[in-house]
mmCIF file of all heavy atoms in Angstrom:
data_model
loop_
_atom_site.group_PDB
_atom_site.id
_atom_site.type_symbol
_atom_site.label_atom_id
_atom_site.label_comp_id
_atom_site.label_asym_id
_atom_site.label_seq_id
_atom_site.Cartn_x
_atom_site.Cartn_y
_atom_site.Cartn_z
ATOM 1 N N SER A 64 0.814 -1.217 0.000
ATOM 2 C CA SER A 64 0.000 0.000 0.000
ATOM 3 C C SER A 64 0.849 1.270 0.000
ATOM 4 O O SER A 64 0.316 2.377 0.049
ATOM 5 C CB SER A 64 -0.904 0.017 1.242
ATOM 6 O OG SER A 64 -0.121 0.041 2.430
ATOM 7 N N MET A 65 2.179 1.105 -0.062
ATOM 8 C CA MET A 65 3.074 2.249 0.079
ATOM 9 C C MET A 65 3.824 2.606 -1.198
ATOM 10 O O MET A 65 4.531 3.606 -1.243
ATOM 11 C CB MET A 65 4.107 1.966 1.180
ATOM 12 C CG MET A 65 3.495 1.765 2.553
ATOM 13 S SD MET A 65 4.697 1.134 3.750
ATOM 14 C CE MET A 65 5.838 2.491 3.828
ATOM 15 N N LEU A 66 3.658 1.799 -2.238
ATOM 16 C CA LEU A 66 4.485 1.959 -3.427
ATOM 17 C C LEU A 66 3.711 2.469 -4.638
ATOM 18 O O LEU A 66 2.544 2.122 -4.836
ATOM 19 C CB LEU A 66 5.136 0.621 -3.789
ATOM 20 C CG LEU A 66 6.261 0.161 -2.860
ATOM 21 C CD1 LEU A 66 6.551 -1.317 -3.080
ATOM 22 C CD2 LEU A 66 7.520 0.996 -3.071
ATOM 23 N N GLU A 67 4.404 3.281 -5.435
ATOM 24 C CA GLU A 67 3.861 3.667 -6.731
ATOM 25 C C GLU A 67 3.848 2.433 -7.642
ATOM 26 O O GLU A 67 4.444 1.402 -7.341
ATOM 27 C CB GLU A 67 4.749 4.754 -7.359
ATOM 28 C CG GLU A 67 4.812 6.054 -6.578
ATOM 29 C CD GLU A 67 3.563 6.908 -6.760
ATOM 30 O OE1 GLU A 67 2.601 6.441 -7.418
ATOM 31 O OE2 GLU A 67 3.555 8.039 -6.254
ATOM 32 N N GLU A 68 3.157 2.553 -8.768
ATOM 33 C CA GLU A 68 3.028 1.408 -9.679
ATOM 34 C C GLU A 68 4.395 0.914 -10.171
ATOM 35 O O GLU A 68 4.649 -0.288 -10.248
ATOM 36 C CB GLU A 68 2.152 1.790 -10.872
ATOM 37 C CG GLU A 68 1.875 0.616 -11.808
ATOM 38 C CD GLU A 68 0.928 0.995 -12.938
ATOM 39 O OE1 GLU A 68 0.408 2.129 -12.928
ATOM 40 O OE2 GLU A 68 0.739 0.156 -13.831
ATOM 41 N N LYS A 69 5.281 1.839 -10.498
ATOM 42 C CA LYS A 69 6.641 1.489 -10.917
ATOM 43 C C LYS A 69 7.540 1.622 -9.702
ATOM 44 O O LYS A 69 7.703 2.718 -9.155
ATOM 45 C CB LYS A 69 7.101 2.431 -12.035
ATOM 46 C CG LYS A 69 8.439 2.069 -12.652
ATOM 47 C CD LYS A 69 8.754 3.004 -13.822
ATOM 48 C CE LYS A 69 10.064 2.628 -14.508
ATOM 49 N NZ LYS A 69 10.373 3.519 -15.662
ATOM 50 N N ASN A 70 8.119 0.495 -9.242
ATOM 51 C CA ASN A 70 8.843 0.545 -7.976
ATOM 52 C C ASN A 70 9.922 -0.528 -7.873
ATOM 53 O O ASN A 70 9.942 -1.497 -8.635
ATOM 54 C CB ASN A 70 7.861 0.403 -6.808
ATOM 55 C CG ASN A 70 7.152 -0.945 -6.818
ATOM 56 O OD1 ASN A 70 7.758 -1.972 -6.509
ATOM 57 N ND2 ASN A 70 5.863 -0.955 -7.171
ATOM 58 N N ILE A 71 10.805 -0.314 -6.901
ATOM 59 C CA ILE A 71 11.859 -1.273 -6.572
ATOM 60 C C ILE A 71 11.923 -1.407 -5.057
ATOM 61 O O ILE A 71 11.844 -0.413 -4.332
ATOM 62 C CB ILE A 71 13.230 -0.822 -7.107
ATOM 63 C CG1 ILE A 71 13.231 -0.795 -8.639
ATOM 64 C CG2 ILE A 71 14.348 -1.748 -6.600
ATOM 65 C CD1 ILE A 71 14.537 -0.253 -9.235
ATOM 66 N N LEU A 72 12.061 -2.644 -4.588
ATOM 67 C CA LEU A 72 12.367 -2.904 -3.187
ATOM 68 C C LEU A 72 13.763 -3.506 -3.129
ATOM 69 O O LEU A 72 14.071 -4.434 -3.889
ATOM 70 C CB LEU A 72 11.366 -3.868 -2.546
ATOM 71 C CG LEU A 72 9.919 -3.376 -2.441
ATOM 72 C CD1 LEU A 72 9.090 -3.955 -3.585
ATOM 73 C CD2 LEU A 72 9.315 -3.788 -1.105
ATOM 74 N N ALA A 73 14.609 -2.973 -2.252
ATOM 75 C CA ALA A 73 16.001 -3.418 -2.166
ATOM 76 C C ALA A 73 16.343 -3.716 -0.707
ATOM 77 O O ALA A 73 16.152 -2.861 0.166
ATOM 78 C CB ALA A 73 16.931 -2.339 -2.716
ATOM 79 N N PHE A 74 16.841 -4.919 -0.464
ATOM 80 C CA PHE A 74 17.144 -5.342 0.898
ATOM 81 C C PHE A 74 18.536 -5.947 1.003
ATOM 82 O O PHE A 74 18.970 -6.685 0.107
ATOM 83 C CB PHE A 74 16.164 -6.425 1.368
ATOM 84 C CG PHE A 74 14.727 -6.007 1.442
ATOM 85 C CD1 PHE A 74 13.859 -6.298 0.400
ATOM 86 C CD2 PHE A 74 14.225 -5.362 2.565
ATOM 87 C CE1 PHE A 74 12.517 -5.951 0.467
ATOM 88 C CE2 PHE A 74 12.889 -5.004 2.628
ATOM 89 C CZ PHE A 74 12.027 -5.292 1.584
ATOM 90 N N GLU A 75 19.192 -5.701 2.125
ATOM 91 C CA GLU A 75 20.323 -6.526 2.518
ATOM 92 C C GLU A 75 19.756 -7.695 3.319
ATOM 93 O O GLU A 75 18.823 -7.512 4.105
ATOM 94 C CB GLU A 75 21.321 -5.732 3.369
ATOM 95 C CG GLU A 75 22.563 -6.535 3.729
ATOM 96 C CD GLU A 75 23.626 -5.714 4.430
ATOM 97 O OE1 GLU A 75 23.789 -4.529 4.086
ATOM 98 O OE2 GLU A 75 24.299 -6.264 5.327
ATOM 99 N N ILE A 76 20.321 -8.893 3.137
ATOM 100 C CA ILE A 76 19.780 -10.084 3.784
ATOM 101 C C ILE A 76 20.899 -10.928 4.391
ATOM 102 O O ILE A 76 22.079 -10.745 4.086
ATOM 103 C CB ILE A 76 18.967 -10.946 2.782
ATOM 104 C CG1 ILE A 76 19.897 -11.551 1.721
ATOM 105 C CG2 ILE A 76 17.857 -10.110 2.137
ATOM 106 C CD1 ILE A 76 19.217 -12.537 0.788
ATOM 107 N N GLY A 77 20.507 -11.879 5.230
ATOM 108 C CA GLY A 77 21.460 -12.828 5.772
ATOM 109 C C GLY A 77 21.847 -13.856 4.726
ATOM 110 O O GLY A 77 21.051 -14.200 3.848
ATOM 111 N N GLU A 78 23.059 -14.375 4.807
ATOM 112 C CA GLU A 78 23.591 -15.244 3.764
ATOM 113 C C GLU A 78 22.828 -16.567 3.610
ATOM 114 O O GLU A 78 22.942 -17.218 2.571
ATOM 115 C CB GLU A 78 25.067 -15.541 4.031
ATOM 116 C CG GLU A 78 25.338 -16.278 5.328
ATOM 117 C CD GLU A 78 26.825 -16.457 5.564
ATOM 118 O OE1 GLU A 78 27.444 -15.558 6.146
ATOM 119 O OE2 GLU A 78 27.353 -17.511 5.156
ATOM 120 N N LYS A 79 22.044 -16.956 4.613
ATOM 121 C CA LYS A 79 21.297 -18.208 4.533
ATOM 122 C C LYS A 79 19.807 -17.977 4.287
ATOM 123 O O LYS A 79 19.017 -18.916 4.347
ATOM 124 C CB LYS A 79 21.482 -19.011 5.824
ATOM 125 C CG LYS A 79 22.934 -19.417 6.082
ATOM 126 C CD LYS A 79 23.067 -20.171 7.400
ATOM 127 C CE LYS A 79 24.522 -20.545 7.670
ATOM 128 N NZ LYS A 79 24.673 -21.244 8.976
ATOM 129 N N GLN A 80 19.434 -16.732 3.983
ATOM 130 C CA GLN A 80 18.008 -16.391 3.881
ATOM 131 C C GLN A 80 17.511 -16.238 2.452
ATOM 132 O O GLN A 80 16.316 -16.027 2.236
ATOM 133 C CB GLN A 80 17.751 -15.083 4.649
ATOM 134 C CG GLN A 80 18.022 -15.192 6.136
ATOM 135 C CD GLN A 80 17.942 -13.850 6.854
ATOM 136 O OE1 GLN A 80 18.191 -12.807 6.250
ATOM 137 N NE2 GLN A 80 17.606 -13.871 8.126
ATOM 138 N N GLY A 81 18.385 -16.347 1.473
ATOM 139 C CA GLY A 81 18.017 -16.062 0.090
ATOM 140 C C GLY A 81 16.837 -16.864 -0.422
ATOM 141 O O GLY A 81 15.872 -16.311 -0.963
ATOM 142 N N LYS A 82 16.900 -18.174 -0.266
ATOM 143 C CA LYS A 82 15.851 -19.044 -0.797
ATOM 144 C C LYS A 82 14.504 -18.749 -0.146
ATOM 145 O O LYS A 82 13.479 -18.625 -0.821
ATOM 146 C CB LYS A 82 16.227 -20.509 -0.578
ATOM 147 C CG LYS A 82 15.274 -21.491 -1.206
ATOM 148 C CD LYS A 82 15.770 -22.921 -1.039
ATOM 149 C CE LYS A 82 14.812 -23.926 -1.670
ATOM 150 N NZ LYS A 82 15.293 -25.333 -1.493
ATOM 151 N N SER A 83 14.501 -18.611 1.177
ATOM 152 C CA SER A 83 13.255 -18.340 1.907
ATOM 153 C C SER A 83 12.676 -16.986 1.522
ATOM 154 O O SER A 83 11.452 -16.846 1.330
ATOM 155 C CB SER A 83 13.507 -18.382 3.415
ATOM 156 O OG SER A 83 13.929 -19.656 3.829
ATOM 157 N N LEU A 84 13.539 -15.992 1.385
ATOM 158 C CA LEU A 84 13.049 -14.652 1.080
ATOM 159 C C LEU A 84 12.581 -14.520 -0.360
ATOM 160 O O LEU A 84 11.641 -13.777 -0.645
ATOM 161 C CB LEU A 84 14.131 -13.615 1.384
ATOM 162 C CG LEU A 84 14.353 -13.352 2.880
ATOM 163 C CD1 LEU A 84 15.510 -12.397 3.087
ATOM 164 C CD2 LEU A 84 13.086 -12.782 3.516
ATOM 165 N N LYS A 85 13.200 -15.245 -1.256
ATOM 166 C CA LYS A 85 12.730 -15.213 -2.643
ATOM 167 C C LYS A 85 11.329 -15.803 -2.745
ATOM 168 O O LYS A 85 10.459 -15.258 -3.432
ATOM 169 C CB LYS A 85 13.696 -15.978 -3.551
ATOM 170 C CG LYS A 85 13.392 -15.780 -5.038
ATOM 171 C CD LYS A 85 14.512 -16.322 -5.906
ATOM 172 C CE LYS A 85 14.264 -15.974 -7.381
ATOM 173 N NZ LYS A 85 15.370 -16.430 -8.254
ATOM 174 N N SER A 86 11.085 -16.878 -2.024
ATOM 175 C CA SER A 86 9.748 -17.489 -2.002
ATOM 176 C C SER A 86 8.736 -16.542 -1.369
ATOM 177 O O SER A 86 7.606 -16.397 -1.854
ATOM 178 C CB SER A 86 9.783 -18.809 -1.222
ATOM 179 O OG SER A 86 10.609 -19.746 -1.864
ATOM 180 N N LEU A 87 9.155 -15.899 -0.284
ATOM 181 C CA LEU A 87 8.265 -14.954 0.391
ATOM 182 C C LEU A 87 7.940 -13.773 -0.510
ATOM 183 O O LEU A 87 6.784 -13.337 -0.597
ATOM 184 C CB LEU A 87 8.933 -14.469 1.678
ATOM 185 C CG LEU A 87 8.096 -13.576 2.602
ATOM 186 C CD1 LEU A 87 6.869 -14.329 3.111
ATOM 187 C CD2 LEU A 87 8.950 -13.100 3.779
ATOM 188 N N ALA A 88 8.938 -13.271 -1.206
ATOM 189 C CA ALA A 88 8.727 -12.140 -2.109
ATOM 190 C C ALA A 88 7.751 -12.498 -3.223
ATOM 191 O O ALA A 88 6.925 -11.666 -3.633
ATOM 192 C CB ALA A 88 10.065 -11.695 -2.698
ATOM 193 N N LYS A 89 7.817 -13.719 -3.717
ATOM 194 C CA LYS A 89 6.916 -14.158 -4.786
ATOM 195 C C LYS A 89 5.470 -14.204 -4.318
ATOM 196 O O LYS A 89 4.546 -14.015 -5.117
ATOM 197 C CB LYS A 89 7.351 -15.529 -5.303
ATOM 198 C CG LYS A 89 8.585 -15.486 -6.189
ATOM 199 C CD LYS A 89 8.947 -16.875 -6.714
ATOM 200 C CE LYS A 89 10.151 -16.810 -7.636
ATOM 201 N NZ LYS A 89 10.556 -18.151 -8.142
ATOM 202 N N GLU A 90 5.264 -14.458 -3.039
ATOM 203 C CA GLU A 90 3.903 -14.468 -2.500
ATOM 204 C C GLU A 90 3.272 -13.081 -2.589
ATOM 205 O O GLU A 90 2.084 -12.943 -2.899
ATOM 206 C CB GLU A 90 3.918 -14.939 -1.042
ATOM 207 C CG GLU A 90 4.266 -16.407 -0.853
ATOM 208 C CD GLU A 90 4.231 -16.801 0.607
ATOM 209 O OE1 GLU A 90 3.521 -16.125 1.392
ATOM 210 O OE2 GLU A 90 4.905 -17.782 0.964
ATOM 211 N N TYR A 91 4.055 -12.062 -2.312
ATOM 212 C CA TYR A 91 3.534 -10.692 -2.305
ATOM 213 C C TYR A 91 3.635 -10.012 -3.656
ATOM 214 O O TYR A 91 2.823 -9.143 -3.984
ATOM 215 C CB TYR A 91 4.272 -9.861 -1.244
ATOM 216 C CG TYR A 91 3.911 -10.256 0.170
ATOM 217 C CD1 TYR A 91 4.693 -11.150 0.883
ATOM 218 C CD2 TYR A 91 2.766 -9.755 0.784
ATOM 219 C CE1 TYR A 91 4.354 -11.530 2.180
ATOM 220 C CE2 TYR A 91 2.410 -10.122 2.071
ATOM 221 C CZ TYR A 91 3.216 -11.008 2.763
ATOM 222 O OH TYR A 91 2.858 -11.381 4.036
ATOM 223 N N TYR A 92 4.637 -10.406 -4.452
ATOM 224 C CA TYR A 92 4.844 -9.778 -5.764
ATOM 225 C C TYR A 92 5.057 -10.861 -6.829
ATOM 226 O O TYR A 92 6.165 -11.028 -7.353
ATOM 227 C CB TYR A 92 6.046 -8.833 -5.709
ATOM 228 C CG TYR A 92 5.822 -7.631 -4.826
ATOM 229 C CD1 TYR A 92 6.240 -7.624 -3.497
ATOM 230 C CD2 TYR A 92 5.159 -6.499 -5.307
ATOM 231 C CE1 TYR A 92 6.020 -6.522 -2.678
ATOM 232 C CE2 TYR A 92 4.930 -5.398 -4.502
ATOM 233 C CZ TYR A 92 5.364 -5.414 -3.187
ATOM 234 O OH TYR A 92 5.131 -4.324 -2.391
ATOM 235 N N PRO A 93 3.992 -11.609 -7.147
ATOM 236 C CA PRO A 93 4.126 -12.736 -8.082
ATOM 237 C C PRO A 93 4.526 -12.337 -9.500
ATOM 238 O O PRO A 93 5.075 -13.162 -10.238
ATOM 239 C CB PRO A 93 2.739 -13.382 -8.050
ATOM 240 C CG PRO A 93 1.809 -12.299 -7.587
ATOM 241 C CD PRO A 93 2.619 -11.485 -6.635
ATOM 242 N N GLU A 94 4.268 -11.093 -9.896
ATOM 243 C CA GLU A 94 4.582 -10.656 -11.255
ATOM 244 C C GLU A 94 5.904 -9.890 -11.343
ATOM 245 O O GLU A 94 6.308 -9.470 -12.425
ATOM 246 C CB GLU A 94 3.443 -9.750 -11.776
ATOM 247 C CG GLU A 94 2.061 -10.384 -11.736
ATOM 248 C CD GLU A 94 1.975 -11.656 -12.557
ATOM 249 O OE1 GLU A 94 2.580 -11.695 -13.653
ATOM 250 O OE2 GLU A 94 1.318 -12.611 -12.094
ATOM 251 N N ALA A 95 6.581 -9.726 -10.228
ATOM 252 C CA ALA A 95 7.796 -8.902 -10.201
ATOM 253 C C ALA A 95 9.024 -9.673 -10.685
ATOM 254 O O ALA A 95 9.049 -10.904 -10.722
ATOM 255 C CB ALA A 95 8.037 -8.397 -8.786
ATOM 256 N N ILE A 96 10.044 -8.913 -11.040
ATOM 257 C CA ILE A 96 11.375 -9.477 -11.263
ATOM 258 C C ILE A 96 12.023 -9.596 -9.888
ATOM 259 O O ILE A 96 12.218 -8.589 -9.196
ATOM 260 C CB ILE A 96 12.226 -8.565 -12.167
ATOM 261 C CG1 ILE A 96 11.552 -8.376 -13.524
ATOM 262 C CG2 ILE A 96 13.638 -9.126 -12.339
ATOM 263 C CD1 ILE A 96 12.165 -7.250 -14.345
ATOM 264 N N ILE A 97 12.329 -10.803 -9.468
ATOM 265 C CA ILE A 97 12.874 -11.025 -8.125
ATOM 266 C C ILE A 97 14.244 -11.677 -8.248
ATOM 267 O O ILE A 97 14.382 -12.735 -8.874
ATOM 268 C CB ILE A 97 11.936 -11.912 -7.278
ATOM 269 C CG1 ILE A 97 10.566 -11.237 -7.134
ATOM 270 C CG2 ILE A 97 12.554 -12.176 -5.902
ATOM 271 C CD1 ILE A 97 9.509 -12.104 -6.496
ATOM 272 N N THR A 98 15.253 -11.033 -7.675
ATOM 273 C CA THR A 98 16.603 -11.575 -7.774
ATOM 274 C C THR A 98 17.296 -11.587 -6.411
ATOM 275 O O THR A 98 17.097 -10.680 -5.595
ATOM 276 C CB THR A 98 17.486 -10.753 -8.745
ATOM 277 O OG1 THR A 98 17.624 -9.427 -8.246
ATOM 278 C CG2 THR A 98 16.871 -10.702 -10.125
ATOM 279 N N ILE A 99 18.070 -12.631 -6.182
ATOM 280 C CA ILE A 99 18.968 -12.700 -5.033
ATOM 281 C C ILE A 99 20.376 -12.514 -5.571
ATOM 282 O O ILE A 99 20.790 -13.228 -6.488
ATOM 283 C CB ILE A 99 18.873 -14.056 -4.304
ATOM 284 C CG1 ILE A 99 17.458 -14.309 -3.790
ATOM 285 C CG2 ILE A 99 19.894 -14.124 -3.163
ATOM 286 C CD1 ILE A 99 17.004 -13.377 -2.688
ATOM 287 N N GLU A 100 21.096 -11.544 -5.042
ATOM 288 C CA GLU A 100 22.452 -11.285 -5.525
ATOM 289 C C GLU A 100 23.470 -11.511 -4.413
ATOM 290 O O GLU A 100 23.155 -11.405 -3.227
ATOM 291 C CB GLU A 100 22.550 -9.864 -6.069
ATOM 292 C CG GLU A 100 21.646 -9.647 -7.288
ATOM 293 C CD GLU A 100 22.031 -8.412 -8.073
ATOM 294 O OE1 GLU A 100 23.199 -7.979 -7.981
ATOM 295 O OE2 GLU A 100 21.150 -7.888 -8.766
ATOM 296 N N LYS A 101 24.689 -11.818 -4.821
ATOM 297 C CA LYS A 101 25.744 -12.160 -3.876
ATOM 298 C C LYS A 101 26.642 -10.966 -3.575
ATOM 299 O O LYS A 101 26.751 -10.033 -4.368
ATOM 300 C CB LYS A 101 26.582 -13.316 -4.431
ATOM 301 C CG LYS A 101 25.782 -14.596 -4.634
ATOM 302 C CD LYS A 101 26.662 -15.737 -5.098
ATOM 303 C CE LYS A 101 25.835 -17.001 -5.345
ATOM 304 N NZ LYS A 101 25.203 -17.508 -4.108
ATOM 305 N N ASP A 102 27.296 -11.012 -2.415
ATOM 306 C CA ASP A 102 28.272 -9.980 -2.066
ATOM 307 C C ASP A 102 29.637 -10.364 -2.635
ATOM 308 O O ASP A 102 29.766 -11.361 -3.364
ATOM 309 C CB ASP A 102 28.324 -9.774 -0.546
ATOM 310 C CG ASP A 102 28.710 -11.044 0.222
ATOM 311 O OD1 ASP A 102 29.321 -11.955 -0.383
ATOM 312 O OD2 ASP A 102 28.421 -11.112 1.435
ATOM 313 N N LEU A 103 30.664 -9.628 -2.306
ATOM 314 C CA LEU A 103 31.992 -9.873 -2.858
ATOM 315 C C LEU A 103 32.600 -11.175 -2.352
ATOM 316 O O LEU A 103 33.579 -11.660 -2.916
ATOM 317 C CB LEU A 103 32.915 -8.695 -2.529
ATOM 318 C CG LEU A 103 32.573 -7.367 -3.211
ATOM 319 C CD1 LEU A 103 33.516 -6.271 -2.751
ATOM 320 C CD2 LEU A 103 32.613 -7.507 -4.731
ATOM 321 N N SER A 104 32.029 -11.731 -1.294
ATOM 322 C CA SER A 104 32.486 -13.023 -0.777
ATOM 323 C C SER A 104 31.659 -14.177 -1.324
ATOM 324 O O SER A 104 31.740 -15.299 -0.823
ATOM 325 C CB SER A 104 32.422 -13.020 0.759
ATOM 326 O OG SER A 104 33.249 -12.016 1.302
ATOM 327 N N SER A 105 30.844 -13.884 -2.349
ATOM 328 C CA SER A 105 29.996 -14.881 -3.018
ATOM 329 C C SER A 105 28.950 -15.491 -2.091
ATOM 330 O O SER A 105 28.542 -16.642 -2.255
ATOM 331 C CB SER A 105 30.861 -16.004 -3.622
ATOM 332 O OG SER A 105 31.707 -15.476 -4.630
ATOM 333 N N ARG A 106 28.494 -14.698 -1.126
ATOM 334 C CA ARG A 106 27.409 -15.133 -0.246
ATOM 335 C C ARG A 106 26.132 -14.400 -0.645
ATOM 336 O O ARG A 106 26.167 -13.224 -1.000
ATOM 337 C CB ARG A 106 27.737 -14.813 1.218
ATOM 338 C CG ARG A 106 28.959 -15.523 1.765
ATOM 339 C CD ARG A 106 29.100 -15.217 3.255
ATOM 340 N NE ARG A 106 30.225 -15.913 3.841
ATOM 341 C CZ ARG A 106 31.422 -15.371 4.029
ATOM 342 N NH1 ARG A 106 31.645 -14.114 3.669
ATOM 343 N NH2 ARG A 106 32.398 -16.059 4.586
ATOM 344 N N ASP A 107 24.994 -15.089 -0.570
ATOM 345 C CA ASP A 107 23.714 -14.423 -0.803
ATOM 346 C C ASP A 107 23.594 -13.246 0.162
ATOM 347 O O ASP A 107 23.720 -13.416 1.384
ATOM 348 C CB ASP A 107 22.553 -15.398 -0.569
ATOM 349 C CG ASP A 107 22.421 -16.417 -1.685
ATOM 350 O OD1 ASP A 107 23.099 -16.273 -2.709
ATOM 351 O OD2 ASP A 107 21.630 -17.367 -1.519
ATOM 352 N N ARG A 108 23.341 -12.050 -0.377
ATOM 353 C CA ARG A 108 23.354 -10.876 0.499
ATOM 354 C C ARG A 108 22.313 -9.822 0.149
ATOM 355 O O ARG A 108 22.003 -8.949 0.965
ATOM 356 C CB ARG A 108 24.745 -10.229 0.449
ATOM 357 C CG ARG A 108 24.981 -9.140 1.457
ATOM 358 C CD ARG A 108 24.912 -9.635 2.880
ATOM 359 N NE ARG A 108 25.975 -10.577 3.176
ATOM 360 C CZ ARG A 108 26.040 -11.339 4.250
ATOM 361 N NH1 ARG A 108 25.077 -11.266 5.156
ATOM 362 N NH2 ARG A 108 27.030 -12.180 4.431
#
């Protein structure tokens, strides 16, 4: 209820949370482009 039609959500996450958070994000934004990206240590971040 807080976002304009064209929007981006950006989060820092724990290295073991990527899979769970991607699934959670799909529940709320099923049509969005959802990506998990890694930090310089190649950890989900």
